[in-house]
Each structure stands twice: as C-alpha cells, then as structure tokens.
Amino acid sequence: MRIDPRTLPFFVAFAAAACAPFQAEVPGSAPAAAHVPIEQSVVHGAAPEGPSELGKAPEGSTEAQRLALWWVNTYREQAGLGPVGQLTALNEAARDHADYVLMHPDVYDVQGLSVHEQLPDHEGYSGSRFWERMEAAGYDGHPFREVIAYQSTPEGAVAHWMETVYHRLPIIHPSARHIGYAQARIGSSRINVLDLGSGEYAAPKTANGIAWPTPGAFDVPLSWDGLESPKPQAPPNGYPSGPVITLTFGLDAAFEVIEHTIIDVTDDTAADTAADTVDADRALPHVLLTPENDPHLKGESAIALYTHDPLHAGRTYEVRVMGILDGATYERSWTFSTRESASCDVHSQDCGPGKGCYATSAGAPVCAWAGDRAEGHPCGYQNDCGAGLTCVGQVCRRYCSTVASADSAVFDAAQACSATCGGGHSKLNVAGEVGACKI
C-alpha cells in the first residue's frame, strides 16, 4: 500500500489508487445488448441525494457494496450508459483479495509485489491474478478489469477512480456488465477493491464515444493531483494539472487522433463558439495520452487529456477532438464548466462525493478525501474525520461558525458555535470565523 507523503495544513492525508487490465484475450465476439446511446444527454452536476436502485445488488450484499453499485451506476448514467449489475461471486472475489492485501502488507510494501497479485504460499490465497480470483469465485462471464483504492467510503473510492486516467475507463466503459466490490480495514490500513466483468459478450462500438466530463457538465474540479498508480505522464511543471478529460470507444474501435484542443469559451458568443477556427492564443497547453504514446493505455480505445495547469473557477471550457475512427473522419466538441470557487465552505460541505471541506490554519479551506470517523473518535490527520468534522487534539470535532453577526454572508444561526456547541468551542483559522466544538 502506497500513501502519498504530501499533506495539507492540519495534516490532511492522501491515498493513491491502482488498477490492472485483463492481460488475457477476451473471448466472444457476438454483440451485447448494451445501453449505449449515440449522444450523451445526462448532465453531471451536484451529488445525488441518496442511493436508489439502478442495477441490481444480490441478496446478502452489504451496505457498502450497495452504495458502491449505486455510485458506479450513477456515474454510468451521467455518461449516457446503462447500469451494471452486482454479483455475489464478484463481491466474494473482491472481498477475498481485499482481506489478503491487508493481511500481508510486507508482500506489497517490502517485496514490491503488484497490489493486484497474490502469492500462493500465503494465507488467504484465492488466485494470483484478478481473473483467476473471479473465476475461482464462480463468475462465468469474462473478467474485464480490477481497480483498487485506499479510501474510507465507497463513494470516496468510486469518486477517486473517476478523477483518474486509468481507473475511470473501466467504470464508464461500454463493455462493463457486472461488478463486485469490497472494502476492508485492519487498524489504520484500508483498501477498496472493485472487480468488473464484461458478461458473456463484448459490447459493440460506441458511435460517438463516451466523453468525461460529460457534455454540459458543471461543478467540475479545477485540478487533479496525479495520485494514481501507475502514474500518468506529468505536465512540464508537475502536478497538479487540470482535471482529466477522457474519450472512450468500444474495445475493438480503431481511433487515431489528428487534432485536439482545449480552450476557455466563457466569454464567447454562440457565433464565436460555433466558429470553425480556434484562436491559437486561447488554446491551453495540455498532455495527450493515447494507446500509441502511453503503454498503460495499450489495448484501450481511449484517449486522455489534461491541461498543464489547473483550470480557473467558474469558467466554461470546450474540448475539440478530430481524428479517424474505424477509417472514417471523426470530429467532436463539447463543453463543461468548472466549480465556482477554488475554495470550499466547511459548513455547507460543497466539495462533492467522497470529499470534505477542511479549514486551514492560514488561508482558505480546501477539499480533500474525507474519512469516516465520527465526532469524538480519535484521529491523527484532519481528514481521518468525516465531512463536517476536523481533527483537533487528536479527536474529531464538529465545525461551527464563530461569526456573531447575521449580516455576514457566512453566518447561519444553525451553525453558530454558541448554538451548537454545548461544551464551548475553539477558533481554528486566523480570521476567527471557523471554530470547532469542544468535546
């Protein structure tokens, strides 16, 4: 397990994710009844209110497994894809591997074994590679992918995968039909495992591709920290970069990129946006990853782009891609809008799924992956605590507002320290507007 050493003020911890493709040939060529529209129409916006049944979870599944299924299917719906189903066999395969990894940290941290592999002479062995584990658990479809994260919650794990290059692709791939999920924890170590299968047949090609962020998406993050294993090519000045943009086709699609552009079109008129030419001065430098220049995309029919620098808040960006798809000219453009602020609000907790807004000792609050520890529980890092809480004196404590005037834009009587903290409070930031209730 690899934990990135970088921290934020108040000790915010980060975790990287890891993925593996299926290395064996995927048999079967008959078309599947995939739910793949030619055009995407679902807008990616604010987080949904709570779980609802999109794909089916098996009887006996845990709450975490049901939540993972719901979040995967929510992102697939936003991408214009139909839901996947969850199978007991895949849940068991994921659970067995999660337990194995946490039981044998020395195998991965000291010996350097890939987190997707197992050694047969160790307790809990269920298969050297994920497709062997899936087949051993009784899955009779075609193993497709496995992705791994180190998050506290299912929503955090799925949201983390969706921010990356290689982990996102299996989740919103038209070939994915079934999933299994497990999360495990031993002490402070935790892991999330998602196994994906493609069912009996490979999915057909998608006529227009699956774009993410989706056309018309809003509240898109401004940046990406590059925390992924394997790590994609870094921008010239290193990470953070802009958010990852991907365009995915079916497994057998042949796509060659000819032109690719990202521009800020916030102030464009409709006529300007529809123009055939792009002002070169407004084109944003970016990294382009393809199966030709990135060995980790080999076998994928997908490309990824991300700007060298983080994007600006409250702006609209257009992506334009031209190329050759299966011998025919391909051209596509779409826009998305970034979140309104580079900061966040500790009271409204507006960072999106899986993240929390945490105050800093000097400066604006920041979004970070949220933990799951409740108020009063011990903590070592600020984001060991769940969203809306912070770590003070090694204890998770609730945020409150110390502003005493209703004229302030940040004041809410329901959040006032005097109203919500029976045992008093402590001021946290220099301005003194954010506090934490004493335990």
Side-chain angles (χ1 to χ4, degrees):
M1 185 178 305
R2 297 174 178 84
I3 301 298
D4 194 284
R6 290 178 291 175
T7 60
L8 292 174
F10 282 21
F11 308 104
V12 177
F14 293 83
C19 70
F22 181 41
Q23 300 296 339
E25 181 181 357
V26 179
S29 58
H35 302 270
V36 183
I38 292 178
E39 295 293 338
Q40 295 168 291
S41 60
V42 180
V43 175
H44 170 213
E49 293 298 323
S52 61
E53 187 176 28
L54 298 175
K56 293 182 179 180
E59 184 177 352
S61 59
T62 65
E63 180 182 3
Q65 289 167 335
R66 293 191 294 272
L67 282 171
L69 174 66
W70 184 78
W71 281 107
V72 166
N73 280 333
T74 295
Y75 288 117
R76 287 180 63 84
E77 182 184 34
Q78 291 169 358
L81 293 165
V84 295
Q86 190 177 83
L87 301 180
T88 298
L90 296 186
N91 282 343
E92 291 178 352
R95 181 203 62 205
D96 290 345
H97 188 54
D99 291 342
Y100 181 95
V101 172
L102 292 191
M103 280 193 298
H104 306 293
D106 59 309
V107 169
Y108 304 98
D109 294 340
V110 179
Q111 299 183 40
L113 185 71
S114 166
V115 75
H116 295 283
E117 299 179 22
Q118 294 185 12
L119 296 178
D121 57 348
H122 285 62
E123 179 184 358
Y125 174 78
S126 57
S128 297
R129 302 295 184 110
F130 76 86
W131 53 89
E132 297 172 354
R133 297 189 290 271
M134 291 168 68
E135 291 168 353
Y139 180 57
D140 57 4
H142 299 310
F144 183 54
R145 298 286 191 274
E146 178 178 86
V147 292
I148 289 175
Y150 308 103
Q151 294 290 343
S152 298
T153 63
E155 58 265 39
V158 181
H160 192 175
W161 290 322
M162 287 299 297
E163 282 198 357
T164 66
V165 177
Y166 312 118
H167 296 68
R168 173 192 300 170
L169 298 180
I171 294 173
I172 56 171
H173 200 287
S175 292
R177 305 294 294 282
H178 306 125
I179 69 165
Y181 173 84
Q183 61 183 47
R185 170 176 287 175
I186 296 180
S188 60
S189 299
R190 55 183 183 256
I191 191 171
N192 322 86
V193 178
L194 182 72
D195 286 331
L196 301 99
S198 62
E200 297 180 0
Y201 305 109
K205 302 179 182 68
T206 56
N208 207 30
I210 305 301
W212 195 277
T214 57
F218 59 94
D219 203 30
V220 173
L222 310 181
S223 63
W224 181 50
D225 52 24
L227 294 182
E228 183 172 22
S229 178
K231 186 179 287 294
Q233 176 186 331
N237 295 323
Y239 292 105
S241 66
V244 175
I245 302 164
T246 54
L247 186 58
T248 310
F249 302 94
L251 279 176
D252 299 326
F255 181 62
E256 177 186 356
V257 182
I258 297 176
E259 295 183 12
H260 46 96
T261 309
I262 305 172
I263 59 173
D264 185 334
V265 296
T266 305
D267 301 322
D268 282 0
T269 63
D272 292 334
T273 303
D276 292 333
T277 59
V278 175
D279 185 350
D281 292 337
R282 295 187 303 154
L284 302 176
H286 59 273
V287 174
L288 170 70
L289 302 180
T290 73
E292 286 68 41
N293 68 11
D294 185 345
H296 303 299
L297 287 179
K298 186 176 181 181
E300 300 279 4
S301 294
I303 64 170
L305 311 89
Y306 38 96
T307 54
H308 290 178
D309 299 306
L311 301 180
H312 296 291
R315 308 290 292 183
T316 298
Y317 294 88
E318 183 179 47
V319 183
R320 299 185 182 184
V321 178
M322 295 179 61
I324 304 297
L325 177 62
D326 292 331
T329 300
Y330 175 91
E331 184 173 353
R332 185 169 185 185
S333 65
W334 74 96
T335 62
F336 64 86
S337 299
T338 53
R339 56 181 286 121
E340 291 297 321
S341 173
S343 182
C344 56
D345 188 297
V346 298
H347 304 302
S348 63
Q349 289 295 315
D350 55 347
C351 289
K355 292 186 176 182
C357 181
Y358 297 93
T360 60
S361 57
V366 295
C367 294
W369 296 108
D372 60 353
R373 299 186 189 179
E375 185 175 15
H377 286 206
C379 54
Y381 296 94
Q382 188 176 183
N383 65 331
D384 284 340
C385 307
L389 305 174
T390 184
C391 187
V392 179
Q394 297 186 320
V395 175
C396 290
R397 293 164 53 175
R398 184 163 25 105
Y399 282 117
C400 62
S401 175
T402 63
V403 179
S405 171
D407 294 333
S408 171
V410 299
F411 179 77
D412 185 329
Q415 300 163 344
C417 296
S418 58
T420 61
C421 304
H425 68 276
S426 305
K427 292 184 178 180
L428 295 182
N429 64 347
V430 174
E433 297 173 345
V434 178
C437 296
K438 293 182 178 179
I439 300 299

